[in-house]
Amino acid sequence: MNGKYKALWLDEQDNLVVLDQRVLPFVESTVTITNTNECVEAIKNMTVRGAGVIGNTAAFGIFLAARECNGNLVQLENRAKLIRESRPTAVNLMWAVDRMMKVARKSNDMLNDLKLEAIEICDEDCQTSKNIADAGADIFEEIMKKQNITTINVLTHCNAGWLAIVDDGTALAPIYEAKRRGIDIHVWVDETRPRNQGANLTAWELGKADINHTVIADNTGGHLMQHGMVDVCITGADRVSRGGDAANKIGTYLKSLAAHDNNIPFYIALPSSTFDFEIVDGIKEIPIEIRGEDEVKFIRGLDKHGEYSELQIVPTASKALNYGFDVTPSRLITGLISERGVCKADQKEIETMFKDLL
Ligand code: MRU
């Protein structure tokens, strides 16, 4: 690869170009990021989002920050801190900044080395996505064989496709691979309020790939599971503890409870950079982002004239609370699918599979 990926790429001036995910699927536009402040802003306001792509943007952000301060390491450390703190939950952000800064601190050719390292991080994510695609599609095939079914119904929450992790994403990667293998697959797409990353982004991605899918209101999944209409659930993750607890977009926990109650396998797909090996108890220790109340009080989309617009759906005087993520405890997770294969969401298994990273 050479720095050109589907959700982001470097232009000829070595600025970072990203798809503007705030206005998809109705407007396809890009934003160009040239410096630290623009990088921080793009992550904060969710022009870019999804754990992996946040990490990739931060990695290129460190390169741009180094260029901005002419390789002055003290100034770069300050800028790196701003990027590192731009969102709190997805640990790929901190992981990418720390990895880039390690290179910066020992480099004699800082700009060149940082550019290559950011590209290397993205290329590794592409390989991760391929491995997850294979392992996840194998799981789908096993489920179909075991249940003797010819169509598999998969439920996913939020967006963990190529808009969230370069190449084919994490949770959506096995779905793309299933399609390539000729498996008859149908995907239930949770709309994922309040920002609707399922309805806006996952549905758009799957539609582009001609994958059979249906968008459902967030509250529908439990009913479908009770009536045998879901064979497997798969989501991404923003941070997974050493004990196997997984933070993902708010609402994931409720889906895992319904899956457990109905004996439906519930998988989390993630790159190893999404593990936070420093913590064991995800519920107590993973920092959960609280975003602005307007994301709950207003909804965006096309109006009846086809114009992209925003509508208020909550009385002006009412308060709203907007937690971005929740934590699914390890006991509700059937398996973790990473670039290294599948392991149980269990501290011992995680420590064995990832012992070189501890
Ligand atoms: O707030 P976001 O959109 O950045 O949240 C991230 C997500 O889309 C999900 O939680 C996703 O399932 C994990 S990111 C690969």
Side-chain angles (χ1 to χ4, degrees), residues 46 49-51 87 158-160 164-165 197 236-238 248-249 325:
M46 292 175 67
R49 33 91 21 227
R87 285 189 75 189
C158 201
N159 172 265
I165 304 264
Q197 293 98 324
D238 296 85
N248 193 53
K249 184 53 54 183
F325 302 90

Side-chain angles (χ1 to χ4, degrees), residues 46-287:
M46 292 175 67
T47 303
V48 286
R49 33 91 21 227
V53 164
I54 291 173
N56 303 144
T57 303
F60 282 114
I62 297 293
F63 159 67
L64 296 173
R67 185 175 71 183
E68 190 184 11
C69 59
N70 293 318
N72 179 312
L73 191 56
V74 178
Q75 289 179 22
L76 180 60
E77 297 281 0
N78 292 333
R79 287 171 167 79
K81 189 168 180 297
L82 294 176
I83 296 173
R84 201 176 188 280
E85 290 172 355
S86 52
R87 285 189 75 189
T89 302
V91 77
N92 304 64
L93 168 62
M94 299 81 191
W95 174 89
V97 169
D98 294 348
R99 177 165 158 177
M100 293 293 290
M101 289 308 293
K102 258 190 204 154
V103 171
R105 285 179 201 120
K106 61 169 201 251
S107 174
N108 294 319
D109 184 5
M110 196 192 276
L111 278 193
N112 188 45
D113 289 349
L114 288 177
K115 178 178 163 185
L116 292 180
E117 189 70 6
I119 290 174
E120 175 62 21
I121 288 174
C122 293
D123 288 352
E124 286 173 17
D125 281 353
C126 289
Q127 188 56 50
T128 292
S129 178
K130 284 187 178 53
N131 294 1
I132 290 174
D134 286 335
D138 288 350
I139 290 173
F140 292 169
E141 288 190 316
E142 277 163 32
I143 291 172
M144 292 177 81
K145 208 165 147 200
K146 202 164 134 201
Q147 294 183 11
N148 199 18
I149 49 176
T150 51
T151 301
I152 186 160
N153 281 287
V154 181
L155 183 141
T156 192
H157 191 72
C158 201
N159 172 265
W162 61 260
L163 289 164
I165 304 264
V166 291
D167 205 27
D168 273 351
T170 50
L172 294 195
I175 292 168
Y176 289 124
E177 176 59 18
K179 168 89 178 170
R180 288 191 284 269
R181 290 185 191 182
I183 293 171
D184 187 9
I185 188 164
H186 168 259
V187 186
W188 298 110
V189 179
D190 285 349
E191 61 178 345
T192 320
R193 278 281 289 150
R195 288 186 68 102
N196 287 321
Q197 293 98 324
N200 290 339
L201 306 178
T202 297
W204 182 70
E205 277 198 34
L206 295 179
K208 269 184 170 298
D210 199 22
I211 291 175
N212 187 13
H213 65 281
T214 308
V215 179
I216 49 174
D218 287 327
N219 296 328
T220 308
H223 173 77
L224 297 181
M225 292 187 214
Q226 285 175 323
H227 290 273
M229 294 162 81
V230 178
D231 301 303
V232 58
C233 301
I234 184 165
T235 75
D238 296 85
R239 191 184 294 226
V240 175
S241 76
R242 191 171 176 144
D245 304 323
N248 193 53
K249 184 53 54 183
I250 192 83
T252 305
Y253 169 48
L254 290 177
K255 292 301 143 67
S256 71
L257 280 173
H260 186 73
D261 195 43
N262 290 282
N263 243 331
I264 293 165
F266 190 97
Y267 286 94
I268 299 271
L270 73 160
S272 57
S273 50
T274 298
F275 278 106
D276 184 343
F277 295 112
E278 303 291 307
I279 63 176
V280 175
D281 185 333
I283 295 168
K284 284 202 183 120
E285 296 176 85
I286 295 178

